[in-house]
Structure formats: C-alpha cells, structure tokens
Amino acid sequence: MTKWPLSRHADLLHAMDCKVMIYGEVAVMTPGSPLDAPMSQRLIMPAGEAAAYASHLTEFSKRLADEYVLQLAYHHHLW
C-alpha cells in the first residue's frame, strides 16, 4: 500500500502504544482570518461536499485502524 504523508507520525504513535490519533481539521479555515471574526463572516463547508468529506474521513479512519491499530479522534476547526 502507498505510504501516507502521515505515516511517520502514525508509526511513532503506534510504537508508543498510543490508541488514538487526533485529526484537527483546518482545510476550510480562511488563511489569516482573525480568531474573533463573527461566525456570520466565516467559511462554511458547502452542504453538497459534506457527504463526500464524511466518506473520506471514514475511509481514513478504517485505514488508520487497519495499518496502525489507531482510532481516529476528529477535532473540527471548520468554523
């Protein structure tokens, strides 16, 4: 199977007998946005993209479990 960019980190967590990898999502954040920006001015994931994104996360968590015996903990930053 193809190595992931996160493989070294997953290998380290597995070697340390960790049970969880925390995934902090930041893909929809606006670069340089102030943290105190009103919620009404922040980016929102388009509803049409949510199902595909959830499917991708599901596949990611399955592969993480299969290859590294790690559970995925999702910490969203989608604003």
Side-chain angles (χ1 to χ4, degrees):
M1 220 174 238
T2 306
K3 281 289 208 181
W4 292 349
L6 61 78
S7 293
R8 289 179 54 199
H9 184 65
D11 284 334
L12 175 64
L13 292 175
H14 181 72
M16 294 173 59
D17 200 31
C18 295
K19 306 298 181 207
V20 175
M21 175 186 279
I22 299 170
Y23 173 68
E25 172 58 53
V26 295
V28 183
M29 290 178 69
T30 305
S33 291
L35 295 176
D36 60 351
M39 292 293 287
S40 62
Q41 295 177 9
R42 297 180 183 173
L43 291 177
I44 297 172
M45 178 182 285
E49 295 178 18
Y53 186 74
S55 178
H56 180 74
L57 281 178
T58 298
E59 290 305 313
F60 174 57
S61 67
K62 287 178 183 177
R63 187 169 172 189
L64 195 62
D66 291 346
E67 292 184 31
Y68 300 98
V69 195
L70 292 167
Q71 291 184 9
L72 178 66
Y74 179 75
H75 179 80
H76 74 88
H77 290 152
L78 291 176
W79 296 67

